[in-house]
Amino acid sequence: QACAVIEEIINKWATSYARAVELQPGAEASGALHFVALFSKPSKEEPIAWPVVRVNFTVPEGFASALVPRVTYSLEGERMVYDVTTDLGRRFKESWLDRIVMDKRAIRADMALRTKR
């Protein structure tokens, strides 16, 4: 049920990205459910897309009884936590994923240049 809530949220976000939601290992032990949504952008040149961007979600225990479940998320490598019940949390931008993808590609290119020396 919690996974369906997250899928409903992310289906509105980044339409040009492929996405999947997974329950994080050991997530049930904390009292809240922790999920990770994986986003990738496949293309004809790269059907198995790299890099993958992770967005971590937390769904509180007892979310099913709440009128509007307080789901929070944070982007990979960032400390800011967004709440989907607030205006800021609902304003997810695909450009946030694009920026993380560009950063990862730049790091990979830099590492490739360093190893060629």
Side-chain angles (χ1 to χ4, degrees), residues 26-111:
E28 303 90 349
S30 68
L33 296 173
H34 298 278
F35 293 86
V36 63
L38 306 170
F39 291 86
S40 64
K41 203 175 220 178
S43 65
K44 289 180 183 177
E45 300 81 29
E46 201 174 24
I48 306 217
W50 186 92
V52 171
V53 178
R54 290 167 175 76
V55 179
N56 299 299
F57 285 87
T58 302
V59 180
E61 195 172 12
F63 75 95
S65 62
L67 187 58
V68 178
R70 186 174 184 267
V71 178
T72 59
Y73 66 91
S74 62
L75 294 153
E76 172 181 349
E78 297 186 5
R79 291 185 178 168
M80 180 73 176
V81 176
Y82 300 92
D83 184 337
V84 297
T85 60
T86 65
D87 282 341
L88 183 61
R90 284 192 296 266
R91 290 187 193 151
F92 184 89
K93 297 192 179 2
E94 192 168 327
S95 62
W96 296 350
L97 298 177
D98 292 338
R99 181 184 42 80
I100 294 171
V101 166
M102 286 189 301
D103 289 350
K104 284 185 170 187
R105 288 186 190 274
I107 290 168
R108 180 181 253 190
D110 186 48
M111 290 174 63

Side-chain angles (χ1 to χ4, degrees), residues 1-13 20-22 33-37 55-59 71-72:
Q1 238 182 358
C3 188
V5 169
I6 292 171
E7 286 177 354
E8 183 180 324
I9 292 167
I10 67 172
N11 281 338
K12 302 171 191 168
W13 281 3
V21 177
E22 301 173 350
L33 296 173
H34 298 278
F35 293 86
V36 63
V55 179
N56 299 299
F57 285 87
T58 302
V59 180
V71 178
T72 59

